[in-house]
Amino acid sequence: MTTIEGSVALVTGGSRGIGRALVSALYERGAKKVYATARDPRTVTHPDAVPLALEVGDPASVAAAAEQAQDVTLLINNAGASVNASFLDAPVEDVRREFETNFFGPLLVTRAFVPVIERNGGGHILNVHSVLSWLGVAGSYSASKAALWSQTNSLRLDLRPRGIEVTGLHVGYVDTDMTAKIDAPKVTPESVAAQALDGIEAGAFEVLADDLTRQVKAGLAADLSALYPQLAA
């Protein structure tokens, strides 16, 4: 099992929203050091965090970050984009851009840090998904998060023999900038961060951080019309 106390963590997208809450929660639970990444590291506000420049879709930026953070034992792939491009109407490049950030970004970061975590005696990776991993209602965003879910499941099998556990975090509406214009019940970033770290320490394969996510996951075994009522019309 992974212990947060004394760990060295790296959180991508660590300057706002869930990422910022995760940085704070890690320190509250006794992490020794937390690298908080952002495109502009000056936006990292936690007084104890180590700001680190990172563009997850840029292999050179990822390699530079891994070179600087050679003591990491816990990697949290949180950075993401929300383009929601329509498969029929949006430019295909918009779809590609979403996948570059939400699928290939975590893949590049994971590939760079697995050797680091291994050299440090093993550890843990947390990938931040979405309830939309299981609901195809947001175009390219849903597809990219579904692909990340599959990536996480594959990596869990590949990395366990190498001493690295993998947890997937699924969330619905979280009270962040990304959902500011959405009128729906929301959970706080702090609640999501606490549940995520609980899951890491418990060795959970998945963390379902709110009622909506738990309802949708439970409905995956039902007929598709249960998740997509318009199909029953």
Side-chain angles (χ1 to χ4, degrees):
M1 296 297 182
T2 298
T3 302
I4 302 298
E5 186 173 2
S7 66
V8 177
L10 184 142
V11 181
T12 69
S15 65
R16 59 181 184 149
I18 296 173
R20 181 168 59 194
L22 282 163
V23 172
S24 294
L26 285 161
Y27 274 117
E28 288 167 5
R29 297 202 188 192
K32 182 167 66 175
K33 182 193 295 185
V34 182
Y35 296 94
T37 84
R39 289 190 180 98
D40 181 356
R42 293 172 298 182
T43 61
V44 173
T45 57
H46 194 284
D48 298 319
V50 180
L52 192 61
L54 178 62
E55 171 51 69
V56 297
D58 179 356
S61 177
V62 172
E67 184 62 31
Q68 293 180 66
Q70 286 287 303
D71 48 354
V72 166
T73 58
L74 169 58
L75 169 64
I76 298 181
N77 284 309
N78 165 72
S82 180
V83 178
N84 299 348
S86 164
F87 288 129
L88 293 178
D89 303 322
V92 170
E93 285 309 310
D94 287 353
V95 178
R96 292 186 193 278
R97 179 158 54 92
E98 189 118 71
F99 271 80
E100 286 294 337
T101 301
N102 293 346
F103 178 81
F104 289 106
L107 178 60
L108 288 173
V109 175
T110 296
R111 286 166 65 109
F113 277 95
V114 160
V116 173
I117 297 172
E118 245 186 329
R119 283 196 299 270
N120 292 326
H124 213 107
I125 296 173
L126 174 77
N127 283 344
V128 179
H129 305 145
S130 167
V131 66
L132 295 176
S133 304
W134 305 315
L135 277 177
V137 297
S140 59
Y141 184 81
S142 291
S144 66
K145 288 296 188 176
L148 178 60
W149 178 44
S150 182
Q151 179 191 137
T152 299
N153 289 336
S154 295
L155 288 171
R156 185 179 296 115
L157 301 176
D158 292 339
L159 293 177
R160 199 171 200 189
R162 298 169 68 170
I164 301 173
E165 299 294 326
V166 179
T167 298
L169 169 64
H170 294 263
V171 297
Y173 295 120
V174 185
D175 192 8
T176 65
D177 295 344
M178 187 179 289
T179 64
K181 296 182 180 179
I182 297 174
D183 183 15
K186 301 172 186 176
V187 293
T188 66
E190 292 75 21
S191 169
V192 173
Q195 292 178 72
L197 298 191
D198 286 346
I200 289 171
E201 293 200 306
F205 298 139
E206 291 188 325
V207 174
L208 312 183
D210 53 55
D211 289 341
L212 174 62
T213 301
R214 288 186 281 272
Q215 290 167 10
V216 171
K217 178 69 183 292
L220 290 179
D223 186 83
L224 279 178
S225 60
L227 292 180
Y228 305 99
Q230 58 269 48
L231 296 179

